Amino acid sequence: MSVVDKVIFCEGKQTSFDIKLLERVLEPGQGPTIVPASGKFSFSPFAQGYLSHDKAVNKRYIIFRDRDFDVEPTSDGKLLPLKLIKHCFLTNRACIENYLLDANLIHKYWHAMFEKSENPLFKWGHGNSPGIEKIAEWIDGAARELKDYQAVRWALADVAKPSGARSHLKTTWTKGSGKLPASLGLPHCQAEAKKLIQTFREAVDQVTQDKFEESLGIYQDKFSQDEFWQHKQYIIWFHGKDLQKAMQRQKSQYISLKENFCNWAIEQLDITQYPDLTELRTKIENL
């Protein structure tokens, strides 16, 4: 009979960034079983089914996933418990990509790939990195384009929370984070959000246009404050997949920030610089 010692449930598949990040979080010598559970809304039944199997003797586990728009981040950068699901903890940043979209990391990767281009086996048509300052401007510029779209996504998440139907009212009318709408302007985003609410209201009375408008105003105000931009808080609040897509759309001639970059960047992360990831390491040690 096998014994489940420590189990960490995460989103995605066996090849997901979630698993790669968890492998970086784990201290050498730790041997928990990392189990991908696909979508975030299936976590609870998936974990219960996995741990109720007759071969599972020791039920010590943690559920770890992206925060997305489910909980607001905190200033201390710590893990965020999801109260509705036992042993579930969320990243403080919106998703894993938020930890990787760093000007220093992008510059380091870009320069390393440029140096490799001297080898005939490599083809690198982007030239050398424009420098950390230019890359920081690239991130900032993309975030500013996303400001209204992110405010709308946060407002949609807000109106769904009291109803207990967060899993049913989507925060976007696209196919998810990283699939940006044709227009990022407020009128378009607001109109599409109202269509979602109108469709949903028939099933959930608590979701109203007025509540959406109220929440939207709060987030618009927050994302318009000088302090928000001076401290680059968008890297925590805005969804990393959206930011990644907006960056690529804004500077299509720049390098790709998709799979190859993300896999490389995860390996470069200093976990100790992030309170939530350090806390996760401690929780796993104490399981």
Side-chain angles (χ1 to χ4, degrees), residues 11-264:
E11 289 183 87
K13 301 177 181 179
Q14 198 65 43
T15 56
S16 70
F17 296 144
D18 303 71
I19 290 181
K20 295 180 185 299
L21 180 63
L22 283 170
E23 290 172 344
R24 296 277 293 121
V25 168
L26 299 177
E27 291 281 15
Q30 287 183 311
T33 302
I34 302 175
V35 180
S38 190
K40 68 180 183 180
F41 294 121
S42 62
F43 261 122
S44 188
F46 183 95
Q48 290 173 11
Y50 185 94
L51 295 171
S52 64
H53 193 276
D54 59 359
K55 291 184 179 181
V57 176
N58 198 333
K59 300 183 179 181
R60 292 185 285 170
Y61 70 95
I62 284 177
I63 295 173
F64 172 70
R65 70 166 179 82
D66 292 344
R67 189 201 76 227
D68 293 326
F69 297 91
D70 297 330
V71 181
E72 289 193 0
T74 53
S75 58
D76 59 10
K78 295 288 187 70
L79 281 175
L80 301 168
L82 190 61
K83 298 177 181 178
L84 297 177
I85 302 178
K86 190 177 181 181
H87 304 307
C88 184
F89 299 94
L90 313 181
T91 54
N92 198 278
R93 298 190 177 195
C95 69
I96 288 173
E97 284 80 359
N98 288 76
Y99 298 88
L100 310 180
L101 297 178
D102 173 85
N104 288 280
L105 272 179
I106 296 172
H107 166 73
K108 186 178 178 182
Y109 172 77
W110 195 329
H111 184 64
M113 294 302 293
F114 172 74
E115 288 187 329
K116 282 185 178 181
S117 69
E118 296 177 359
N119 187 321
L121 296 176
F122 292 88
K123 294 182 179 180
W124 191 250
H126 303 285
N128 203 353
S129 167
I132 295 173
E133 185 176 342
K134 287 291 185 182
I135 293 172
E137 291 174 0
W138 181 26
I139 300 171
D140 188 89
R144 290 180 187 277
E145 285 189 356
L146 285 173
K147 179 169 66 72
D148 289 332
Y149 179 54
Q150 296 299 295
V152 166
R153 294 199 70 182
W154 272 106
L156 281 169
D158 263 11
V159 296
K161 287 171 187 174
S163 70
R166 172 66 181 86
S167 62
H168 301 288
L169 178 59
K170 298 179 180 180
T171 64
T172 184
W173 49 98
T174 70
K175 294 182 179 180
S177 297
K179 302 290 184 181
L180 300 182
S183 171
L184 293 170
L186 181 60
H188 173 78
C189 293
Q190 195 169 358
E192 292 297 328
K194 287 182 177 181
K195 291 179 186 178
L196 289 180
I197 293 172
Q198 187 61 42
T199 301
F200 191 69
R201 283 184 65 187
E202 296 178 5
V204 183
D205 292 338
Q206 297 96 320
V207 178
T208 67
Q209 300 285 358
D210 288 344
K211 288 182 179 180
F212 166 71
E213 295 286 355
E214 181 180 353
S215 288
L216 177 59
I218 292 172
Y219 289 113
Q220 280 185 286
D221 180 65
K222 181 175 185 61
F223 299 160
S224 297
Q225 293 176 11
D226 290 340
E227 181 181 7
F228 182 85
W229 295 95
Q230 289 168 2
H231 295 285
K232 302 183 186 301
Q233 293 176 7
Y234 50 80
I235 202 62
I236 296 173
W237 279 84
F238 291 3
H239 204 286
K241 290 184 176 67
D242 290 340
L243 185 55
Q244 183 184 53
K245 185 67 174 183
M247 289 172 67
Q248 304 281 208
R249 179 188 285 185
Q250 189 181 81
K251 299 281 189 181
S252 60
Q253 74 276 21
Y254 277 11
I255 62 171
S256 170
L257 298 173
K258 294 184 179 180
E259 186 173 357
N260 288 340
F261 165 72
C262 289
N263 284 326
W264 178 91

